[in-house]
Amino acid sequence: MKNILIILTAFSFLSCNSQTYDAKIKKEVTDKIDKEIAKQAKIKKDTMEFKIVKTDAEWKAQLSPEEYAVLREKGTERPYTGEYDKHFEKGMYVCAACENPLFTSDTKFDSHCGWPSFDEAIKGSTIYHKDTSYGMIRTEVMCAKCGGHLGHVFDDGPKETTGQRYCTNSVSIKFIPAK
């Protein structure tokens, strides 16, 4: 009986050490990810100031219910349902809320993910925020002018260009054809 108590005590001690070690590793990995996202974003969400600021009532009056859900409440449209998923005309894509130029058609590609994809945003047009919703760690992309949620950026885009994939909700953008 005494041997069993010694074994159980030792096992309990090792289990606690293992959990502490796992938590330490998890924190180190999370901290590295946080630093990388902060380095890429260079802006923290709680300190962001936008050129266009409106109340929720003003946004609701301006935007359709679907646009409001995506742009202001960080929703996501269903894949393969958006107007611009298979759209490849020459022109520019702007924010559906404030018309800030975001992407050119030259940066659009077919990623087969169900949402419009771009490998690069127009410099200074977007800002980034760490998104930990739904148990994932992603980088949210927002309009730099009004703060509207556009989608997320991933590192699985075309290797021959930037390697980035700006996975964007069609409802969060509007297309302006080239003249």
Side-chain angles (χ1 to χ4, degrees):
M1 182 70 171
K2 188 175 180 182
N3 287 343
I4 292 175
L5 285 175
I6 292 171
I7 291 170
L8 286 175
T9 304
F11 179 74
S12 156
F13 177 74
L14 290 174
S15 292
C16 291
N17 275 347
S18 176
Q19 289 174 357
T20 304
Y21 181 74
D22 289 347
K24 182 179 177 185
I25 297 233
K26 185 176 180 181
K27 182 171 178 3
E28 287 174 6
V29 169
T30 304
D31 288 347
K32 284 181 183 177
I33 291 169
D34 288 347
K35 286 178 185 174
E36 183 61 29
I37 288 174
K39 184 173 97 180
Q40 290 176 12
K42 297 179 185 169
I43 295 175
K44 290 188 179 177
K45 186 175 169 111
D46 56 354
T47 61
M48 289 186 227
E49 293 183 23
F50 301 104
K51 292 179 183 174
I52 297 176
V53 178
K54 296 183 180 187
T55 65
D56 284 340
E58 290 171 320
W59 284 121
K60 284 180 181 178
Q62 176 187 332
L63 304 170
S64 73
E66 188 179 18
E67 288 172 333
Y68 183 83
V70 171
L71 285 159
R72 307 315 307 170
E73 296 178 324
K74 302 182 186 304
T76 302
E77 65 192 3
R78 288 187 355 257
Y80 304 102
T81 62
E83 178 180 2
Y84 301 120
D85 179 33
K86 301 290 184 193
H87 182 266
F88 293 97
E89 290 180 40
K90 292 288 182 191
M92 181 175 298
Y93 295 86
V94 300
C95 176
C98 70
E99 299 187 355
N100 182 31
L102 301 168
F103 307 102
T104 63
S105 59
D106 294 339
T107 64
K108 191 168 189 310
F109 67 98
D110 190 359
S111 67
H112 307 285
C113 71
W115 291 276
S117 296
F118 304 87
D119 67 3
E120 185 175 34
I122 295 172
K123 188 173 180 162
S125 68
T126 56
I127 57 173
Y128 308 92
H129 177 254
K130 178 181 176 183
D131 177 2
T132 58
S133 62
Y134 306 108
M136 297 181 274
I137 299 174
R138 305 177 288 176
T139 303
E140 176 187 9
V141 180
M142 295 178 290
C143 173
K145 192 172 178 182
C146 72
H149 171 76
L150 304 171
H152 295 87
V153 63
F154 302 97
D155 291 325
D156 61 0
K159 299 296 180 212
E160 61 275 4
T161 60
T162 65
Q164 301 277 285
R165 175 174 56 97
Y166 285 77
C167 186
T168 308
N169 291 285
S170 283
V171 73
S172 69
I173 56 178
K174 289 183 181 173
F175 179 71
I176 299 173
K179 295 187 178 169

